[in-house]
Amino acid sequence: MSEYAPPSIHRKLDVHTWWFTAVLIAVNVGLFAWQIFTGTDASHPSTQDAIRWGADYAPLTYLAEPIRVFSSMFFHFGLIHLMLNMWALYIFGSVVEQLFGRWYFVGLYLCAGLMGSLFSGYMNIQDSYALIEGGVANPELLPSVSAGASGAVMGLGGALTILSILPVLPRQRFILDKKTLLMVMGINLFMGFMIAGINNAAHMGGMIMGAVLAVLWYAGQKLQRAGFIQFIALIAALAACYGLYQYNLILIDPIKPLWQEILEMMRQQLKL
């Protein structure tokens, strides 16, 4: 990614141009440090610690604590997980914040993260349906604990990828490398399908949300109605998140007894 004029970001950090990205990184790192100081394993946090610090576990999230669709964006499964997400957040976030504007960047990041968590919940529900219909115990179909900023970060990456495909705007500050972005996003999705333990549903949900919001931002620039369209876009994004949450609540009704049983077993095992 480059600018029409050589960007000063290559010579010094210039944090004032992407300070909210820096704040998000600091919050994630600070929370991780707090977790370590209070006894959480820095390399392999236990499931009990993950749940205690707000990770997303679909039966718990949808039956008792919906705040986990948000809080799970700020917990990471060890130092490597944190470092990979924070590096990606710096690379994507510092550009998105300058391109789209600070408040649209904030809205995009949060909505992408929420959509990632909600789409992950939707896939957990579908797996539970398959578990009931199959009549055979399959551990791979049981709900799993998930967390991390990757859904939100993939939203940023998806936004930049879409923008790289569209014609460059007259005053667009950065010229985006389409091939690199497509390759990076493709590799991330491929790894999600091939490597166990990666929540690819969250990646896809976040990426789709980021891509849609990028298209709407671009339309606002082209129509010279940036402020109005950005406001409507973020309201629509929040409405979409709320709509998927409500839809998931409807879907869990037939599997609620199963999830209540799973949740009770988990509470007994983890002594929550």
Side-chain angles (χ1 to χ4, degrees), residues 15-34:
V15 178
H16 70 278
T17 62
W18 47 274
W19 66 264
F20 206 92
T21 300
V23 168
L24 286 171
I25 293 172
V27 167
N28 279 278
V29 172
L31 284 172
F32 184 79
W34 186 11

Side-chain angles (χ1 to χ4, degrees), residues 77 80-81 84-85 116 119-120 123-124 127 140 142 144-151 154 184-205:
F77 290 103
I80 293 177
H81 187 208
L84 289 173
N85 275 339
F119 192 63
S120 174
M123 294 307 298
N124 272 297
D127 286 343
E140 293 183 1
L142 291 171
S144 57
V145 178
S146 62
S150 54
M154 286 291 281
V184 168
M185 298 302 288
I187 288 173
N188 271 280
L189 289 176
F190 178 76
M191 289 175 62
F193 284 115
M194 299 301 295
I195 301 175
I198 295 179
N199 190 348
N200 218 28
H203 290 183
M204 293 174 65

Side-chain angles (χ1 to χ4, degrees), residues 20-98:
F20 206 92
T21 300
V23 168
L24 286 171
I25 293 172
V27 167
N28 279 278
V29 172
L31 284 172
F32 184 79
W34 186 11
Q35 291 154 20
I36 302 309
F37 290 145
T38 54
T40 302
D41 190 297
S43 300
H44 302 286
S46 67
T47 302
Q48 186 175 21
D49 284 331
I51 293 295
R52 183 178 295 115
W53 282 97
D56 183 21
Y57 184 62
L60 182 58
T61 299
Y62 286 93
L63 296 179
E65 301 175 9
I67 189 63
R68 290 178 180 275
V69 297
F70 173 78
S71 62
S72 60
M73 296 164 57
F74 298 94
F75 178 84
H76 289 85
F77 290 103
L79 183 59
I80 293 177
H81 187 208
L82 174 74
M83 290 175 63
L84 289 173
N85 275 339
M86 292 306 99
W87 175 246
L89 175 54
Y90 163 68
I91 295 296
F92 290 150
S94 59
V95 175
V96 172
E97 187 170 347
Q98 294 178 73

Side-chain angles (χ1 to χ4, degrees), residues 125-138 141 255 258:
I125 293 168
Q126 298 305 313
D127 286 343
S128 293
Y129 273 114
L131 186 64
I132 292 175
E133 292 169 0
V136 178
N138 184 350
L141 296 178
I255 60 172
L258 171 65

